[in-house]
Amino acid sequence: MTHPEYILTLSCLDQRGIVHRVSGFLAEHGCNIIDSAQFGDAESRLFFMRVHFSLEDGGISDLLLRADFAELAATMQLDWELRDARYKPRVMLMVSKIGHCLNDLLFRYKSGLLPVEIPAIVSNHMDFYQLAASYNIPFHHLPLAAGAPAEAKAAQEAKVIELMGTHQVDLVVLARYMQILSPQLCTALKGKAINIHHSFLPSFKGAKPYAQAHHRGVKLIGATAHFVTGDLDEGPIIEQDVERVDHSMDAETLSAIGRDVECVVLARAVKWFVEHRILQNGDKTVVFK
């Protein structure tokens, strides 16, 4: 017999007995803990916890489990969510004209490495409609001309929000979607949109960043996955990685290495999100790997 499985995530002011009371509640309700992780932040004085468990008592309904835990949560002032561990979150991918991250995520999805459903791919260009068709995923072309007025941008973003509602999207992934989102859309996507960008030491912005990096002789190339906020590329960081490079590599080689790093970093961030391993801690994140 297969028992229903859940993932509980919570945060609260740090206090004695949190783990004891939560684990005790689960034991009393016929639940078996599969894995658990917790972290207490000394700076914010907040406590974070993620518990994956199965409900083995057939006499305890989902409704009763949630209602009883809500009572416990109220006494401890917990910020919590209880999710069905077998539910596959619905992810909408957004892309422009650079497709390595899109292609990588689609391959992982099709291979069963990424436990998601992808109901829609959105782009301001037509470059990847055939790729979407090869995975039997609806492709939505929402063009936005360079220098378009604010009204046109607002209308285009309204369609993005409409698609999110139509497809009951849990997460939006900007897989190299090269448009700056409006503050209004960033607010609508708060906590449920992930972006990827290159990370250089020193930092290079604007056109042809890898050519700039090559010109300055960088020795490290990296990528950062983060939550989308109104501050461009400055949202809470989820994952980062780097690769060493050297003087023998030209700009094209640096770009190829950068694409590989971006794919890996973004895939990790998306996987951790859909497995409910990421909890926000102010401007930072707690990631239970």
Side-chain angles (χ1 to χ4, degrees):
M1 179 180 178
T2 302
H3 300 292
E5 294 184 12
Y6 295 86
I7 295 176
L8 169 68
T9 56
L10 62 88
S11 62
C12 62
L13 283 175
D14 205 352
Q15 54 195 281
R16 287 190 297 271
I18 301 172
V19 175
H20 173 74
R21 294 183 69 180
V22 170
S23 59
F25 171 91
L26 294 176
E28 291 166 3
H29 285 73
C31 301
N32 180 47
I33 294 176
I34 298 170
D35 63 76
S36 177
Q38 55 272 336
F39 169 70
D41 186 345
E43 292 183 4
S44 66
R45 297 180 60 203
L46 292 176
F47 180 86
F48 302 86
M49 188 173 184
R50 176 187 185 273
V51 187
H52 178 194
F53 65 91
S54 60
L55 175 57
E56 298 181 350
D57 186 342
I60 303 291
S61 67
D62 177 89
L63 188 63
L64 179 62
L65 181 70
R66 293 176 184 275
D68 286 357
F69 192 81
E71 292 183 8
L72 174 65
T75 66
M76 301 175 66
Q77 295 185 308
L78 304 181
D79 182 7
W80 63 283
E81 291 189 70
L82 183 62
R83 306 175 180 90
D84 180 350
R86 295 191 173 95
Y87 169 74
K88 291 185 178 181
R90 298 173 64 79
V91 178
M92 185 168 80
L93 305 179
M94 299 184 68
V95 65
S96 291
K97 294 176 72 69
I98 303 173
H100 55 280
C101 287
L102 173 67
N103 191 56
D104 180 77
L105 290 172
L106 290 175
F107 173 79
R108 294 173 190 267
Y109 152 73
K110 192 67 172 182
S111 303
L113 301 173
L114 199 57
V116 300
E117 299 291 346
I118 303 178
I121 295 173
V122 173
S123 181
N124 55 325
H125 297 280
M126 285 294 293
D127 296 56
F128 299 111
Y129 79 95
Q130 289 178 316
L131 178 63
S134 72
Y135 284 92
N136 199 29
I137 297 174
F139 182 88
H140 301 271
H141 180 217
L142 302 181
L144 189 63
E151 294 80 7
K153 187 177 182 68
Q156 191 251 18
E157 292 187 341
K159 293 178 182 177
V160 172
I161 294 175
E162 181 182 350
L163 285 170
M164 290 176 59
T166 299
H167 294 291
Q168 299 180 305
V169 168
D170 301 298
L171 173 68
V172 173
V173 178
L174 306 185
R176 296 305 303 268
Y177 180 68
M178 308 305 288
Q179 291 287 326
I180 297 176
L181 306 185
S182 70
Q184 293 77 17
L185 184 55
C186 289
T187 298
L189 295 176
K190 184 178 180 181
K192 53 184 179 181
I194 294 175
N195 193 17
I196 184 74
H197 72 272
H198 63 75
S199 303
F200 291 124
L201 297 174
S203 176
F204 302 111
K205 297 182 179 180
K208 299 182 179 180
Y210 288 98
Q212 297 179 56
H214 178 258
H215 179 72
R216 290 289 299 275
V218 299
K219 301 299 185 282
L220 283 175
I221 282 181
T224 297
H226 60 90
F227 282 112
V228 171
T229 67
D231 298 318
L232 183 63
D233 290 343
E234 294 185 12
I237 293 170
I238 301 169
E239 173 63 339
Q240 295 177 295
D241 206 347
V242 297
E243 286 286 345
R244 295 204 66 87
V245 296
D246 62 39
H247 63 276
S248 68
M249 301 174 182
D250 59 19
E252 289 74 20
T253 301
L254 299 189
S255 180
I257 294 171
R259 289 194 296 268
D260 289 344
V261 179
E262 289 172 7
C263 288
V264 171
V265 169
L266 182 58
R268 287 177 189 157
V270 173
K271 188 172 189 294
W272 293 339
F273 181 95
V274 300
E275 292 178 349
H276 314 296
R277 298 182 181 276
I278 307 168
L279 285 77
Q280 291 203 48
N281 180 17
D283 293 330
K284 303 183 291 184
T285 62
V286 173
V287 182
F288 292 121
K289 301 178 183 178

